[in-house]
Amino acid sequence: QVVNYAPFTLLPSAVPRALFEQAYAVQQDFNLLVDAISQNKEFLEQTLASTIKVDDFTAQLFRIYMQVLEEGLAQTVFLGINRSDYMFDCGLDGTAALRQIEINTIAASFGGLTSRTADVHRLVLKVLGKTEEASHLLPNNPAKGLALGIAKAWELYGSQRAVVMFLVEEIQRNIFDQRCVENELWSRNIRVIRKRFRDVFEQGSLDASRRLYMDGQEVAVVYYREGYVPQNYDQQNWEARLLLERSRAVKCPDIATQLAGTKKVQQELSQPGTLEKLLPGRPEAVARMRATFAGLYSLDEGEEGDRIAATAIADPDRFVLKPQREGGGNNLYGEELRQVLEKIKDSPERTSYILMDKIKPQPALNYLLRAHSPLQVSECISELGIFGVYVRQGQELVLNQAAGHLLRTKAIEHADGGVAAGVAVLDTPYL
Ligand code: ADP
Ligand code: MG
C-alpha cells in the first residue's frame, strides 16, 4: 500500500475573528434544525417530491426512508455528526460576510486529520521565528468531539458487549482521518470494527427485536463514512443499506438525516417562513441561521424557475448550479453552467438542480503542499467548516455541541472541490 501525507498549507490563513465566532455560535441551531427536519416526514416528502421524480439516487434513498417508516422505527437513539461549511463573501465595500455553502449530514470528514494541523502550523511559525503568533493558534480537536458523540450514543444503546461499526469504502483513501476518531473510541474502551457494505450483505443479520449482528457480534452504532454517492451502491449494497436502516442500531446518520442534507432541502430552507415552521418558538435561532444564508433558488418547473434560469443564462458568473450530489466536483460554473442550463431549461431534468449565488471571497497568498507536486505560491481562498454533534434519545436531546473546526484552502483557479477531490488542502485559521 502507499501512504501519502495529507495536503496542507505552509502557513495558517487569516480568518476574520467575528465571522469565526459567528459560525461557532450558530452550530447548535443547525444541529437542532437538521434533527427537526429528520423527524418531519411531511416536510421531507413535500420538499423532495419534485426532486425524486428526476433524481434516481435521491429517489432510492427516499424509498428506503418510506419503507423504514412504514415498518416502524426500531431505532430509539439518534446521533448526528455534521459539518456546516462557510465562505467569507467579500462585499463591494471590502467587508466580509459569513455565507453557508452547505451542511454535510453524512460522512463529514477531516475531523481527524485536522485535529493535528494546528500543531503543524504552530511549528512552522516557530521555525519562522514567529513564536508570539504561534501561541495565538487555537486548540482544535474535532476527533475527540465526534468520538464523544459516538460514545454517548453507544452508552445509551445500552449493551456493553456491542461494538461501533465504521462503514467504510472499498478503497480507503482517507483511513487515517477515520483512525483518529476510532482511536478516541478505543481509549474509552469501546470496540470498533470496520466493514464495507458488502460485508454487511454477507455477514449482517437482525434478530427478532431487530438488533443488528455482524457475524454474531452485536452492533450499537453504525458510523457511515460511505454511502453518500450513487457510485457507492450496487443492488447488494442497497440491500445492505436497507438492513442497517431497519435495525435498532444507532445510524450516524439515519436515512432521514441524510435526506435532510440534500441540496434541495437547503434551497427550501431559504424560502421565507420555512425555518419558522420547522423550529416554532425559536426566533433567535432562526435569525442566526438565516443571517448565514446565501441566495438559493429553485429550478422547479414553473414561472419562477423559468425566470431565474434565464437570469443565470444571461449572467452565469453570478451563480453556481448544483445537482443533488456530495463529495465535490459536481457543481457547474460560468460557461459550463450556461451551456447546461440552456440545454435543460425546458425539460424536467432542470428540477434535479438548484441555483445558488456565487460567493466571492478575497484571495490571499499561500503555499499549498501536496505530495509529488511542485511548490509554488498560489492565490488562495478558504472554506471554514464547523463540526456539530448531537444525540437524541426518543424526544429528548441529550447532547448538542459544536465539536471543532476545519479550514480548507484552495487555489482560486479551482471553482469546486474539496481535499478528497485533490483540490483543497488542510489549513489552520489565524484569527
Ligand atoms: P459538495 O457536496 O460536492 O461538497 P458543495 O456545495 O460543498 O458540494 O460545493 C463544493 C465546492 O464548490 C465547495 O467546497 C466550494 O469550494 C464550491 N462552492 C459551492 N457553492 C459555492 C458558492 N455558492 N459560491 C462559491 N463557491 C461554491
Ligand atoms: Mg461541500
Side-chain angles (χ1 to χ4, degrees):
Q1 307 290 333
V2 176
V3 176
N4 277 335
Y5 68 86
F8 61 100
T9 56
L10 179 61
L11 301 163
S13 292
V15 165
R17 182 185 295 276
L19 303 192
F20 183 83
E21 286 169 357
Q22 187 188 353
Y24 262 95
V26 72
Q27 187 54 42
Q28 284 170 305
D29 303 326
F30 277 120
N31 290 345
L32 266 184
L33 177 67
V34 172
D35 189 44
I37 296 169
S38 79
Q39 297 172 77
N40 194 329
K41 173 165 172 266
E42 196 190 349
F43 175 79
L44 283 173
E45 233 174 348
Q46 279 176 9
T47 303
L48 295 172
S50 59
T51 308
I52 62 180
K53 280 193 201 134
V54 287
D55 188 81
D56 292 341
F57 179 63
T58 312
Q60 183 60 33
L61 293 173
F62 197 81
R63 267 195 290 278
I64 292 180
Y65 168 61
M66 292 304 273
Q67 190 173 342
V68 171
L69 278 186
E70 251 159 58
E71 186 181 20
L73 293 186
Q75 181 178 347
T76 56
V77 177
F78 297 83
L79 163 65
I81 290 179
N82 62 54
R83 200 189 66 225
S84 181
D85 290 336
Y86 306 89
M87 282 175 149
F88 313 113
D89 198 20
C90 185
L92 292 173
D93 59 353
T95 57
L98 189 72
R99 288 286 167 262
Q100 186 178 53
I101 298 296
E102 63 158 348
I103 293 194
N104 304 280
T105 62
I106 180 167
S109 56
F110 293 107
L113 292 183
T114 206
S115 298
R116 313 294 167 92
T117 42
D119 278 342
V120 174
H121 287 121
R122 225 171 265 127
L123 175 65
V124 171
L125 289 178
K126 286 181 187 174
V127 170
L128 287 171
K130 303 208 174 278
T131 312
E132 167 70 17
E133 285 84 350
S135 72
H136 293 166
L137 296 184
L138 297 174
N140 183 35
N141 197 343
K144 203 169 188 137
L146 305 192
L148 177 82
I150 297 173
K152 187 76 197 165
W154 176 86
E155 181 195 314
L156 292 174
Y157 179 88
S159 167
Q160 282 291 324
R161 289 179 320 272
V163 301
V164 171
M165 176 164 77
F166 282 33
L167 206 285
V168 298
E169 325 93 292
E170 283 290 326
I171 297 170
Q172 300 170 19
R173 279 186 59 215
N174 205 10
I175 186 168
F176 294 107
D177 183 51
Q178 300 161 9
R179 289 285 193 207
C180 294
V181 181
E182 178 180 336
N183 290 348
E184 290 285 343
L185 291 167
W186 284 106
S187 76
R188 293 164 178 266
N189 297 321
I190 297 173
R191 296 188 66 81
V192 178
I193 59 173
R194 301 173 54 86
K195 298 286 178 185
R196 300 158 302 181
F197 272 128
R198 75 153 109 164
D199 302 317
V200 175
F201 183 82
E202 285 162 12
Q203 306 159 18
S205 63
L206 305 185
D207 73 4
S209 57
R210 283 192 266 158
R211 289 176 182 277
L212 173 66
Y213 290 87
M214 287 292 290
D215 261 350
Q217 190 166 41
E218 186 174 358
V219 177
V221 179
V222 180
Y223 174 43
Y224 289 104
R225 292 297 297 256
E226 142 98 329
Y228 52 91
V229 288
Q231 298 86 305
N232 294 157
Y233 292 95
D234 55 16
Q235 191 51 41
Q236 287 194 0
N237 290 3
W238 280 121
E239 278 179 45
R241 178 77 197 256
L242 177 62
L243 183 91
L244 297 177
E245 293 303 320
R246 291 182 55 228
S247 80
R248 175 180 293 268
V250 182
K251 272 78 64 183
C252 179
D254 65 350
I255 200 144
T257 305
Q258 182 175 358
L259 288 168
T262 52
K263 306 281 191 285
K264 184 63 195 175
V265 164
Q266 181 188 6
Q267 179 265 308
E268 177 62 31
L269 293 176
S270 73
Q271 295 291 105
T274 303
L275 288 179
E276 286 82 353
K277 243 183 264 161
L278 287 165
L279 291 179
R282 293 185 178 267
E284 288 98 1
V286 165
R288 277 190 297 265
M289 288 188 281
R290 186 165 287 140
T292 69
F293 287 174
L296 287 144
Y297 314 93
S298 164
L299 287 167
D300 285 4
E301 286 174 282
E303 235 174 77
E304 206 185 306
D306 292 346
R307 207 174 322 121
I308 194 70
T311 309
I313 286 168
D315 196 359
D317 284 332
R318 261 182 59 199
F319 300 96
V320 182
L321 182 63
K322 298 191 173 189
Q324 307 302 311
R325 289 293 163 271
E326 301 294 328
N330 302 297
N331 301 335
L332 299 164
Y333 304 81
E335 187 52 26
E336 206 182 351
L337 177 158
R338 198 183 58 76
Q339 281 172 13
V340 169
L341 254 190
E342 288 231 293
K343 204 171 86 201
I344 60 171
K345 69 171 191 255
D346 299 316
S347 80
E349 200 194 330
R350 192 177 83 184
T351 310
S352 64
Y353 292 86
I354 63 153
L355 259 187
M356 183 173 184
D357 283 344
K358 189 171 175 184
I359 308 309
K360 296 178 174 158
Q362 179 71 48
L365 297 178
N366 211 330
Y367 292 90
L368 307 181
L369 309 189
R370 196 178 273 125
H372 314 301
S373 287
L375 186 58
Q376 62 191 43
V377 70
S378 307
E379 267 198 277
C380 298
I381 55 175
S382 301
E383 185 168 346
L384 174 70
I386 308 292
F387 288 96
V389 49
Y390 58 91
V391 176
R392 173 166 51 84
Q393 185 170 38
Q395 284 308 307
E396 194 200 347
L397 206 58
V398 293
L399 187 144
N400 179 10
Q401 294 182 356
H405 55 269
L406 167 71
L407 192 72
R408 291 172 299 167
T409 293
K410 64 180 183 184
I412 50 169
E413 298 85 270
H414 300 284
D416 209 292
V419 179
V423 171
V425 310
L426 302 175
D427 198 351
T428 299
Y430 186 92
L431 301 187

